[in-house]
Amino acid sequence: MTDAAVVRGRVLDLTSDTARAHVRRRYQAEARFRAYGIGAILFAALALVVLVGDIVIKAVPAFTIAELTMEVNVTAEAIDPTGSNDPAVIARGDFIKPIRDSLLAMFPAAAENRRQRQALYGLLSSDAAMALRDKVVADPALIGTRVSVPVLVSDDVDLFYKGLVTGIEELPTRGIGSPSATTGTVTLLSSANDFSEELVRVKQALAEQAAVLRQERERLRDIDQTNAADLVAAREQLTAARASGAGVAALEGAVTKYESDEASLKATLDGLSARIADLENRFDTAGSPETLDATAPSVLVEINGGVIKATELGNDRIVGEVLIPLTSTDNAQPDAWRTIVLDTPEANRKLSDQEIAWLQQIEEKGLVSERFNFLFFTSGDSREAELAGILGALVGSAFTMLVTLIICLPIGVASAIYLEEFAPKNRWTELIEVNINNLAAVPSIVFGLLGLAVFLNFFGLPRSSPLVGGLVLALLVLPTIIIASRAALKAVPPSIREAALGVGASHQQAVFHHVLPLAMPGVLTGTIIGMAHALGETAPLLLIGMIAFIVDVPQGITQAATVLPVQIFLWSDLPEIGFQAKTSAAIIVLLLFLFLMNGIAIVLRKRFERRW
Amino acid sequence: MTSFYFIAIAAMAVIAFVLGRQRAAAMPGGTRQLHSLPVYHGLFAASAAVIPMLLIAIVLGPLLPRLVEAHALGLLPTDLQPTDELAKATRLREILMVADGTAPAGSVADPVVVAGEAYGSWRSFAGWGALVLGIVAGVAGMLLSLRTVAPGFRARNRFEVIVKIVLIACSAVAILTTVGIVFSVLFETLRFFARYPWYDFLFGLQWSPQTAIRTDQVGQSGAFGAVPLFVGTTLIMLIAMCVAGPIGLFSAIYMAEYASPRVRSVVKPLLEILAGVPTVVFGFFAALTVAPFIRQLGQSLGLDVASESALAAGLVMGIMIIPFVSSLSDDVINAVPQSLRDGSYGMGATKSETIKKVVLPAALSGLVSAFMLAISRAVGETMIVVMAAGLTGNLTFNPLAAVTTVTVQIKTLLVGDQEFDSAKTLSAFALGFVLFFFTLILNVIALKIVQRYREQYD
Amino acid sequence: MEAMVADARPSATIRSVPSEGFKPAKVITQDVNVYYGQKHALKHVTIDIPERSVTAFIGPSGCGKSTFLRCFNRMNDTISAARVTGKIGIDGLDIYDPSLDVVQLRARVGMVFQKPNPFPKSIYENVAYGPRIHGIAASKAELDDIVASSLRKAGLFEEVKDRLNESGTGLSGGQQQRLCIARAIAVGPEVILMDEPCSALDPIATAKIEELIDELRENFTIVIVTHSMQQAARVSQKTAFFHLGDLVEEGPTDMIFTNPKERRTQDYITGRFG
């Protein structure tokens, strides 16, 4: 007691080891804290990079498009059967037929089989004849002649030529290849073991498969053991229960269940063991032929102008189906034939081996070219990925933004002027201010509800139109513009107002002649930022029906239209990979517009920034 | 006709302006003797002409079409008279097609053709009548104002009163917007609650709004228990805040306390870019990149992950909110006076100790309001969850499962083919009502706190 | 000018108190009080401002002299909390008459502010703005004349005649203030109010402005608020001393400085407080 009551003078301990350790710990904590901050910023930066990078990578394929250059016989019976020479009649002509004929002429074997023919035609876009039609309508003299035109392919074909459908690997050929027939099932012999490499790979896959199955077998064995133990326990319990005579029925049921489980597990395990043994056996006997199915990479052999798809693979031979008939059964020298492997199994891609065989041949003929995809910027929406473009959405966005700007700029600036310059400080003004701040934080979808209930249902304005979209977005960005404009007006020093008032300007003259022009850069900066916000807004527009599928480019603000972000939303829902690229490309266009707008805002702010 | 009317207004405005200005300039004694510049006389004359024309447009604009419609419907024989709203709309569409001449021959009954033709002539008569009436009113207004032109007439003061009224009207638009929102959701919500008890809506555990088409179908009433939606929204919001909260706060602390001006000048625009990315882009990223990635990751760990997991949506939403949290927190931290920090440094505290023990406690209320605003943002966010979250209302807090949110359901219920006036459609407005008031309350409280916080350090 | 005065001439007359040694009064105030909300900023001030001479208001900061000055062209109207009672008459016209247009009053009573505040526009536009909004010039040539003569009267013309289209904010502080004076003169006011016009200027610029004030006295009635007693002594003919909202003493400048009647005045001018 007495000790504790003594007040001791304390000396700050700086030199002892514990003190040093304490200081070190404090500095470590400091460094850690700092690292958290840097980590947080790096995470945000990383997120941005991954986001933009991911979208750019996905978007790249959409900016180019594959095109076939084909020689087409423009026959009069398809285009202008009556010989009218009338552009209106010609425009309605069947331009797809000459192109299909020309394609069929390349692969005459496909003509005999209806399904093959349809598959061949399916390689072309549904609007493949676009260029031909334009050309012939512009120059009817071409009817009856043979012209060379670019032909649009379907989106899957486009992706194939961009290498996005499957990886293609060419195997070297050293021996002389000799096919047994030109059509049907053929055997191809090679004088060297040209297929051994691929066979090794196939065997390797067997070994991997066996390993997976072995793991599965281990897992099942564990279950089996537990089950067996349970069964033993249950039997013992049953014996005990029989002795006591209680709960026998339930235990009997349990035992029966365990027994049947045991039996089925045994059967499964036996099956697995057999498959594993088979796989291991096949793997061990190197060089024994293997069967290829749709879940394995496809092996195609190009020889004598035809293509054989391997169904069975040996070291020096394949057995396969002819996809494109061979011209002869002659022996082919080592550099005159080749073997290609399609990495993605046929079951996992949209294009069959047959279609790829055709496409490979077309490419080897030098008919395929990649060019910048102008169509993406000059056409409206479409159900076909290769035809879909963003022009409709861009024009829709432009109309919507126009309506938004016309409404929210004057109203926003006017209310900012009133609140900042003329409003008396009273409850009413305060209410407006609180209200504007809150409105700025109301979820955007609520504005969609407002648009739906008020503009569509009450005022009966046209659904899906840029007019309604623009109105809704105007209300949405109004608070942003008011707040920015007020800040800009506030930044103009009162001495300017006083100077104007001093020479006898009325308050309104002082504001409109001096204050507002000086605040204008700030107002415009706020407006541009608000418009950028409106340009990227999606949710409220969905509710007022701007989500409709619209092919035509809108002509006015009361027509049905869609806007860029909604177009992105619509495309993102479609399963085709082609649309995924289009979505990303549309996002890039949208982001470019937003960066441009924000850039202008920053330049404006920098350029007209005035220090008073 | 509408465009003609507006052209007429513009023309009248120009004419009145020119006449008014000329008349004032021609006053004996020259402009020096005038109270107001001739320009103001012109502007006053123009407003005197335009205001009555606009008033007529506002009154007649909605009224005339209804009168003409009623007249046309009145011409129909009794057996063709519409009995309900839907039939009326169909009949009116037929009449309109006849009037526009777009109705295919023989597609509509003869009496309807008669009514349609009457509608057409009445419509054009009404249009021209309104135009003439408007021009007469405009000319009258202009002439009256021209008579007032005199040296002593205070045209500027009068015109400034008009301008002021216009300014007040513009600032009332913001109020009208709020009123519009409140009423549009309130009315539909009340109609919904008339059909479906509100306590079942707020506390019901089952959400399956697919109202059947036939009335005798099993389960035709649909279940509108919104709790699964509230739970789903909360779950995704919590995940988002777990990402955005610490990261946003730490980056704000780093930016405000540690970063050199050079680092700031790089990082600030970076965060602004992130803030400027439209939500539909984040949604695309969530649905096509993050969700499959999380699913694969989960599967490789032996977890069962839904393809539309709450985790993916919440994670991306968190990334979206980071700049929001960081810029608000940055402002709040910067508002803490330097003297507080200096006091702490003066006692030998390190920077992080100062931040943890002095700055953050001082900024606490501001930070709380920043987080509240961020929560309100997350709750109201639509596109990310529409694209990356599920559609079925699962009552679960498992972040790997698919959940749905309030905004997703509003969008789902109102987009596409709506059944006119069904409980399904109305329930979306009830959800909107809940959403609006929840975010409104959060915002009001947050803004109040931040206002008080600012005053504290001003 | 005739017309606008005609419709605003009040029926109430404001009596002028004749005072010796001064020219006839241009501005007369009677029992002027100013309140800022609850605060009584100016108490019962009655004073005559003689025409075509310089009247100086002196006193420590916060004494109400600037507030009083701002009553003369009703600049206090812009502060919503401010309330003015009492009478102020210019040539017998009650300037707080509700029917009077304040804009026209300010055309008759010009003002120069503490800090030079040219519009961020060209020198020409700065001066031309007033005549334009009041419709003083009938033609461009007349406007050019007004601008040139105003600048000349403000002693700035020679310095800026070659760069009338350059921004007014690019001038030096003293030049800016003279530009503001030119801007005030251009409207043709009868009274010019100057609110510490030299407080932001260096001594050389100050001397120029003071010279200018002395010249302007021939044509204008000038009221100047100043912090500097020397300045008041140099430029003014009449001086009024304010303290804590009271008009303590007024009289011919040399009298105030050499022989003040009030103790507070004496303490102030001898530097005992301020």
Side-chain angles (χ1 to χ4, degrees), chain A residues 302-315:
Chain A
E302 291 182 7
I303 186 164
N304 293 347
V307 177
I308 305 167
K309 174 194 176 180
T311 50
E312 197 188 302
L313 193 66
N315 268 335

Side-chain angles (χ1 to χ4, degrees), chain B residues 31-37 40 151-152 154 156-157, chain C residues 3 7 99-101 103-104 132-136 142:
Chain B
T31 50
R32 241 175 228 252
Q33 297 303 318
L34 290 173
H35 169 277
S36 304
L37 292 177
Y40 284 101
R154 299 185 172 190
R156 179 177 54 70
N157 306 44
Chain C
D7 81 339
S99 67
L100 177 123
D101 190 352
V103 162
Q104 309 228 308
R132 252 198 209 128
I133 57 169
H134 292 294
I136 290 170
E142 199 179 329

